Amino acid sequence: MSELRDLEILENRLLNAGRTFIYPRTPDLPGAFQRRSLPASPSWRRWAIGVAILLAAIAALFAVPEVRARLLEFLQIGAIRIEPPAIETPTQPPDENKDREYGTLIPISHLSGETTLEDARTEVDFPISVPTYPSDLGAPDHVYVQQVEPGASFVVITWMNVEDPEAVALAFYVIGPGVSITKGPVDQLQAEEVDGEPAAYIRGTHFLQVDRLPDYGVLVQAPALIWESKGITYRIEADLPVDVLIRIAESLNNNYRE
Amino acid sequence: MHQDAVFRLAYLHLADPAEAEDAAQDCFIRAFRSLARFDASKPLRPWLLRIVTNLALNRKRSLGRYWAALNRAAQEQPAVDASPEIVQEGKAESRKLWAMVKMLPAKMQTIMYLRYFLDLPVDETALALDLPEGTVKSQTYRALKKLRQIISEEDPHLYGSVHE
């Protein structure tokens, strides 16, 4: 028997072995994630960070038509179930000239736990950096610490509109480990970067729900930028163009190093 | 589904379902972290398989993890979901061939797993390994020759059945 024929037979045997090979059942990766997310352990933190990035990255990629079909399949196997944009969603980058159509920002009337920035920094066990851009932003007007459960909190920091003190000009979320937030379905998603890390720019009306905090579900109409840094998830919501939001986001690092 | 392919490739390398699950989850997390750099014009599966291969091989190199996996494997029966006939067939040849493939160098193992166990075409294997298609073909040929040698030395009976 020639060597080539010999190898051909082996090849066929291998193919047959591959087809009949008994694999363990493929695990339920989303379920595994949830099981891991019970204690606030370093492992959990790592996964929480990953999921935050995953959300942002999936959302961003949905804006790219050629990968949408694959991502639909990808989503079915991914660790997170996210409501994607409708298939007919426009995929063109947002027209920044239409800023005025954004609508109202998240109402803060339902927020409790108002405190000061200094006190908030002692209440939570993660660092709270605030934007330093624009230079005349000044100190925040309101700071709210929202505890989901012991060891899992997030902070909402707001700057009010100078001309309308009842309206929020900029809402800034600092989301600590142990908190998960679901957004969607979203209308427009765009991949961006903050300090070289993946970020998601979301525009259009969408629902925001803090998991395990049933009362914290709001309809958001303003654009938002989401990113993660050093284990903390950040979210900026403001009626501003994306490049300005990114600049605000990147001003955090200056503050963080101080 | 990609989930199956990723998990199975991890399992083939690690021979432990728990370790394979960890590697698969790491794979997806790392993939999402790198999505911004992913070339959307290329297929997704080979990219994921490349990531999980690296993760699995790194895990395998960790002696502590490897021994833990061996211990668990000794204590647990793999959770299978197949008919008795298929299980029998798997035991009869698939597992033996797998055992032989595991004696190959890591790179050759990966080619065998991708080409035959996961039944990937050459072009997708090439993408997964970041190699030209011609290199995949030549490395597959070398791996097959090496495997045939291993089988003849380690399990002459299986070698005979291969020749039937």
Side-chain angles (χ1 to χ4, degrees), chain A residues 6 13 22 26 36 46, chain B residues 4 22 26 95 116 161 163:
Chain A
D6 210 8
R13 289 290 178 114
I22 310 300
T26 302
R36 283 168 178 234
R46 182 166 136 260
Chain B
D4 282 334
D22 282 349
D26 275 353
R95 293 270 161 178
Y116 302 118
S161 76
H163 280 70

Side-chain angles (χ1 to χ4, degrees), chain A residues 3 6-7 9 11 13 17 20 22 24-27 29 32 36 46-47 49 53-54 67 70 74 77, chain B residues 1 3-4 21-22 25-26 29 32-33 40 42 80-81 86 93-95 116 141 148 161-163:
Chain A
E3 181 181 75
D6 210 8
L7 294 181
I9 292 171
E11 236 182 342
R13 289 290 178 114
T20 58
I22 310 300
R25 193 191 306 272
T26 302
L29 294 180
R36 283 168 178 234
R46 182 166 136 260
W47 281 96
I49 294 164
I53 290 168
L54 176 147
V67 298
R70 284 205 300 277
F74 205 36
I77 63 165
Chain B
M1 280 167 47
Q3 185 181 12
D4 282 334
E21 182 177 348
D22 282 349
Q25 289 178 339
D26 275 353
I29 293 299
F32 283 120
R33 279 183 177 275
K42 292 183 177 174
V80 298
D81 184 15
I86 292 176
E93 185 156 302
S94 300
R95 293 270 161 178
Y116 302 118
Y141 175 71
R148 186 185 59 169
S161 76
V162 165
H163 280 70

